[in-house]
Amino acid sequence: MRGVVFDGRKVDVVDDLEIRDPGPGEVLVAVAAAGLCHSDLSVIDGTIPFPVPVVLGHEGAGVVEAVGAGVTHVAAGDHVALSTIASCGACAECNRGRPTMCRKAIGMPDRPFSRGGEPLYQFAANSAFAERTLVKAVQAVKIPEGIPLTSAALIGCGVVTGVGAALNRAKVDRGDSVVVIGTGGIGLNVLQGARIAGATKIVAVDSNPAKEAVARQFGATHFLESVEGVKSILPNGADHAFECVGRVELIRAAIDLLDRHGQAVLLGVPAATAEASFTVSSLFLDKSILGCRYGSARPQRDFALYAELYGEGRLLLDELVTATYPVEDFAKAAGDAEAGRVARGVLTF
């Protein structure tokens, strides 16, 4: 079968991948579509260290092909969006409703794929850039068949991360003010999360003026090309500032833009060893710096909620898909993503 493989030096679209059958508690999914997220590119450029060889991709949707023993919530033929959180369901964090903090879901990649007899790692417990992938049952979330799979794929990373950061982590409330730095796939979803939450002033910041129209479509009430103009709109600062780029100087900017009791939420991914600085005294008025993993989500709950909001016309999914590419055109899709020409490019099988 076809898939996108990174061997530590180069990326190839191959056609000789193999995958094992599902075991107990596992689901085999025929992937229909997978969004190209910057996290995939960050594995290639070394920003995210990951063992190789690895099958890339982590934002996918498809149709269940087979299930292992004990799996009852999905069956062959069901449409599913795929989560990257292979949580155990039994630890203290899972029982507290924090599956993104499950220690068994972090840092222990499996190798369900093989090629020429050599095992290959699975990226983010998902590897959606393959015609078929194998996930834990908890990662396969049933969705209505009326959602196009090219759109549903984006629920599994960009939507759950961005919307979840606004709703679950920051807990944006009615009347709040929000600044979103960076309006790529994650930033656009923070914007619509803030809109859904009822924020009244939502300031999008991006150095590319061509992104203004789509930022406003997703919820921005103001658009700026630089953080320097934010104080003219929010003279007291923002209740919430989201950094969605992964640059340390923008992390500092997000902190400096906060009002009293404000929160800076970090979503962009800088290099693993990157350090950021800030003035300590700037936090003494009850300000906070928050990390956020995967939108602080509970995927089985949140994916269903986002599908419902989509059906009501309150959550935009189709509008996120700027372009689709056959998997063989991965290089073109990656080039368009790196150049900022797409909100989200989606690979199809």
Side-chain angles (χ1 to χ4, degrees):
M1 66 179 184
R2 294 169 294 164
V4 180
V5 175
F6 176 57
D7 66 4
R9 294 174 290 106
K10 65 183 189 306
V11 179
D12 289 310
V13 180
V14 304
D15 60 6
D16 56 351
L17 282 179
E18 296 181 354
I19 193 166
R20 62 175 174 80
D21 293 333
E26 293 180 333
V27 178
L28 181 67
V29 177
V31 178
L36 176 55
C37 173
H38 276 277
S39 293
D40 299 302
L41 302 178
S42 293
V43 173
I44 297 169
D45 68 22
T47 301
I48 296 178
F50 204 87
V52 294
V54 57
V55 180
L56 295 174
H58 66 285
E59 186 181 67
V63 179
V64 174
E65 194 165 281
V67 302
V71 177
T72 58
H73 75 288
V74 292
D78 286 343
H79 286 207
V80 291
L82 301 178
S83 162
T84 69
I85 303 300
S87 51
C88 72
C91 69
E93 297 294 353
C94 286
N95 281 318
R96 291 188 182 106
R98 299 195 296 240
T100 60
M101 295 296 103
C102 175
R103 285 175 169 80
K104 293 185 178 180
I106 301 173
M108 293 183 285
D110 196 3
R111 294 195 287 181
F113 298 96
S114 63
R115 184 181 180 216
E118 178 187 15
L120 284 78
Y121 285 99
Q122 185 174 41
F123 179 54
N126 190 305
S127 288
F129 293 166
E131 285 188 81
R132 294 176 183 81
T133 193
L134 193 64
V135 297
K136 282 190 174 182
V138 71
Q139 296 176 255
V141 185
K142 188 175 179 179
I143 56 172
E145 293 188 11
I147 303 178
L149 289 172
T150 48
S151 300
L154 306 189
I155 294 175
C157 181
V159 172
V160 72
T161 298
V163 177
L167 299 184
N168 299 331
R169 187 66 169 128
K171 293 181 169 46
V172 176
D173 203 355
R174 292 167 295 176
D176 282 357
S177 58
V178 173
V179 175
V180 179
I181 302 173
T183 59
I186 300 298
L188 290 176
N189 282 295
V190 177
L191 289 172
Q192 69 171 334
R195 169 179 52 78
I196 290 166
T200 50
K201 286 190 177 179
I202 306 173
V203 183
V205 181
D206 199 294
S207 59
N208 184 353
K211 293 187 176 183
E212 179 173 359
V214 70
R216 289 186 180 276
Q217 180 184 21
F218 275 76
T221 59
H222 300 76
F223 183 91
L224 298 169
E225 294 176 36
S226 168
V227 294
E228 275 69 38
V230 172
K231 286 295 178 73
S232 66
I233 301 168
L234 302 172
N236 292 325
D239 295 312
H240 313 276
F242 297 83
E243 201 284 337
C244 306
V245 180
R247 288 168 47 187
V248 294
E249 66 272 24
L250 295 178
I251 291 172
R252 170 63 182 265
I255 295 167
D256 290 344
L257 288 172
L258 296 177
D259 193 2
R260 298 181 179 195
H261 210 273
Q263 301 177 127
V265 183
L266 310 186
L267 296 173
V269 182
T273 57
E275 297 182 1
S277 64
F278 59 93
T279 305
V280 175
S281 61
S282 69
L283 297 184
F284 289 162
L285 291 173
D286 284 1
K287 301 177 186 181
S288 305
I289 303 170
L290 304 178
C292 184
R293 174 175 167 80
Y294 205 61
S296 301
R298 286 180 275 176
Q300 289 287 341
R301 178 202 67 173
D302 290 355
F303 284 24
L305 170 63
Y306 301 151
E308 182 177 346
L309 291 173
Y310 169 82
E312 295 173 355
R314 297 171 62 195
L315 182 83
L316 305 182
L317 288 180
D318 304 336
E319 296 81 356
L320 284 166
V321 182
T322 311
T324 59
Y325 311 80
V327 68
E328 289 80 7
D329 285 348
F330 173 81
K332 184 179 189 309
D336 287 348
E338 289 175 324
R341 289 189 286 266
V342 293
R344 208 49 140 212
V346 177
L347 300 179
T348 59
F349 291 90

